[in-house]
Amino acid sequence: MVSENDLPVAIIGGGPVGLAAAAQLVSRGLPVRVYEAGSSVGSNLRDWGHVRVFTPWRYCVDAVARKLLESHGWQMPEPETFPTADEIVGQYLAPLAKLPELAPSIETSARVVAISRWGADKVLSKARQTRPFMLLVETAKGTRRDSARAVIDASGTWQTPNPLGAGGLPAEGETEFGERIAYGIPDVLGRDRNLYAGRTTLVVGAGHSAANALLELAELAQTEPGTSALWVTRGTDLVRIYGGGDADALPARGELGSDVRQLAESGRVRLVTGFAIVAISEVDGRLVVEGQTKNGLRRLGPVDRIIAATGQRPDLALTRELRLDLDPWLEGVKALGPLIDPNEHSCGDVPPHGHRELSHPEPDFYTVGVKSYGRAPTFLLLTGYEQVRSVAAALAGDMAAADAVQLVLPATGVCTVPVSLSGVSSQNCCGGPAPAAVDACCVDDAKAKASGKSGCGCGSTQAIAAVRSGDLEIAAQ
């Protein structure tokens, strides 16, 4: 009979953090089993493989994984260059997964759909810790049950996008018109070009995914007549997406924010803020979006397609039979909630955290990677790599190493925490004041600039009169 100590540590997810966890555990002599739902490692990254990330290679590779690769002759790409997601998979994750130390432990096209304990639902307490984990695994050959001594959930959130509905539920009509809605970052200039060329696209979201989509649509418009974009955000303060410019320790991130800000302020993309989507309908074969604004319900359109760059959320069904301690609104690990809450979080600075913060009342179960952040959008790979280093050390019994957590993240150069919450003036936060908030499509450009704001990028008040009156705003002239 196999003892619990001989069972592998199950890792759910074969992305950068999941494979880093496997490398960390293997380097400590612990058996592992990696379950990747996609047909290859890094399959979620492949979905947005055309996008160049704003972190250079030196931040994209785990230290132990690099050492393991280099022992087999692998050479690190130029550390200061910026890879695409496809390049991260092709030049780093795929070679890592093929190493003899890891390859036998990785199973692709294997989706873990549920986790429990053998013979114990979440209610049973007696001898719970002595029972191995039971993983329900779906493969092309059918469903099976595997055992594990511990579980590291690095499954991410990419497969469970947030809906367009501002209330967290799908907007009315969102399911009906789903074929014309792309969630995430479609390949506007590549495989999806024909869907967007010569058409009007509504981009929804105020993060870096929205910025990438908008910049690609603007580039497409230079060669494809009739291509236009309308940008909609629920909030009115775009400081998070515009970023800290030259003050950002990640220059590519600062450049991305500056580029999309210039795009909006130039009028090449029309921007509407403070618009909370509630419904989608069809008028003459095109889509019209209805949203709640400070002036009541308004409609935008017609448009041909919608890109929902609205973020993701964790799949909680996977762990329903486990005893987890989750943040009540972010749905990430509870200990991290106050540190990363986007309502209050400042500067992208996350205090060091490791196995203790990532654990749960369910012994030997850990949530890591972007899933540990739940719905918060500020995760960096550096964070995940330090997380799994600590967790692997704890599972190996090396508590000194597990507790010696060090995490230094590149500052954004942007302060978003209100003064009333931070207790300091904005002059003292992140080395300087936050950029002025943009009240886009609510004030005239000239008036905005005269008052020290950046302007709305939507033209004059006459150009947005249709929104204010409640009539359709025609996005394409």
Side-chain angles (χ1 to χ4, degrees):
M1 181 177 180
V2 178
S3 69
E4 183 178 350
N5 290 334
D6 294 328
L7 293 174
V9 175
I11 301 171
I12 306 174
V17 176
L19 291 186
Q24 294 278 352
L25 289 164
V26 165
S27 71
R28 289 180 171 274
L30 297 181
V32 300
R33 186 73 178 175
V34 179
Y35 299 88
E36 167 55 46
S39 59
S40 64
V41 296
S43 60
N44 284 347
L45 272 70
R46 290 290 194 191
D47 281 352
W48 50 279
H50 60 289
V51 176
R52 193 166 299 281
V53 301
F54 51 67
T55 48
W57 268 111
R58 63 190 174 97
Y59 290 147
C60 295
V61 177
D62 172 69
V64 169
R66 176 179 179 176
K67 184 177 180 180
L68 193 60
L69 280 162
E70 289 178 340
S71 71
H72 291 273
W74 181 81
Q75 290 187 336
M76 173 81 171
E78 172 54 46
E80 298 305 321
T81 60
F82 299 86
T84 64
D86 271 342
E87 288 169 345
I88 292 175
V89 176
Q91 298 179 38
Y92 169 48
L93 297 184
L96 180 62
K98 292 178 181 178
L99 295 181
E101 293 90 343
L102 293 185
S105 304
I106 299 173
E107 182 179 6
T108 57
S109 299
R111 181 179 299 275
V112 177
V113 296
I115 311 168
S116 185
R117 296 272 188 178
W118 280 100
D121 62 13
K122 70 190 305 179
V123 177
L124 183 66
S125 298
K126 185 177 181 180
R128 183 176 189 84
Q129 190 169 357
T130 65
R131 299 172 183 267
F133 285 97
M134 178 181 69
L135 284 72
L136 197 62
V137 185
E138 288 184 352
T139 70
K141 297 180 179 180
T143 302
R144 69 173 193 266
R145 288 167 170 78
D146 288 356
S147 299
R149 59 157 287 207
V151 176
I152 299 175
D153 185 0
S155 58
T157 58
W158 185 253
Q159 297 297 327
T160 46
N162 290 326
L164 285 168
L169 302 177
E172 182 180 346
E174 184 170 349
T175 302
E176 179 183 355
F177 300 110
E179 290 186 357
R180 283 181 267 180
I181 301 172
Y183 296 87
I185 317 175
D187 190 358
V188 171
L189 298 175
R191 65 175 181 265
D192 302 318
R193 185 186 185 95
N194 291 338
L195 295 176
Y196 299 95
R199 294 179 171 85
T200 299
T201 301
L202 176 71
V203 178
V204 184
H208 294 105
S209 294
N212 275 293
L214 288 163
L215 291 169
E216 290 202 345
L217 286 167
E219 184 176 343
L220 183 65
Q222 294 178 1
T223 57
E224 296 286 352
T227 303
S228 63
L230 176 63
W231 181 18
V232 169
T233 66
R234 181 172 58 181
T236 58
D237 184 354
L238 301 184
V239 67
R240 294 183 189 280
I241 187 170
Y242 286 165
D246 293 340
D248 197 318
L250 293 175
R253 180 172 58 188
E255 183 180 354
L256 180 65
S258 297
D259 287 349
V260 77
R261 181 172 192 159
Q262 183 180 20
L263 190 65
E265 292 180 353
S266 70
R268 294 170 61 198
V269 165
R270 303 182 67 187
L271 170 62
V272 178
T273 66
F275 191 92
I277 295 176
V278 295
I280 304 169
S281 58
E282 188 175 40
V283 176
D284 296 331
R286 303 178 77 196
L287 300 178
V288 172
V289 177
E290 186 173 22
Q292 186 68 245
T293 73
K294 66 179 182 180
N295 296 318
L297 286 175
R298 298 291 184 263
R299 295 189 296 166
L300 296 177
V303 300
D304 301 296
R305 294 192 63 82
I306 298 173
I307 295 176
T310 48
Q312 295 82 34
R313 59 183 59 179
D315 176 12
L316 300 182
L318 178 69
T319 53
R320 184 173 183 176
E321 289 305 318
L322 299 180
R323 297 178 173 184
L324 303 191
D325 198 10
L326 301 176
D327 183 87
W329 50 86
L330 294 182
E331 297 177 339
V333 293
K334 190 172 184 178
L336 282 184
L339 309 178
I340 61 175
D341 185 350
N343 294 295
E344 303 177 3
H345 182 50
S346 170
C347 310
D349 181 25
V350 180
H353 60 276
H355 71 107
R356 297 190 187 278
E357 291 82 5
L358 302 167
S359 62
H360 295 274
E362 191 71 63
D364 295 326
F365 181 87
Y366 301 90
T367 308
V368 301
V370 68
K371 194 169 186 178
S372 70
Y373 274 43
R375 300 191 185 198
T378 52
F379 177 79
L380 291 175
L381 280 179
L382 281 176
T383 306
Y385 294 157
E386 180 62 8
Q387 287 179 343
V388 296
R389 186 207 61 78
S390 173
V391 169
L395 289 173
D398 185 355
M399 302 311 295
D403 289 331
V405 182
Q406 296 182 359
L407 180 62
V408 179
L409 298 179
T412 64
V414 173
C415 179
T416 58
V417 64
V419 173
S420 61
L421 293 173
S422 67
V424 298
S425 73
S426 60
Q427 295 290 339
N428 294 328
C429 183
C430 299
V438 178
D439 193 14
C441 292
C442 294
V443 294
D444 186 273
D445 271 356
K447 292 180 180 179
K449 291 175 181 177
S451 65
K453 295 183 179 180
S454 59
C456 74
C458 295
S460 67
T461 50
Q462 286 77 17
I464 60 169
V467 177
R468 288 182 169 176
S469 68
D471 296 330
L472 289 181
E473 176 176 340
I474 306 302
Q477 302 300 326

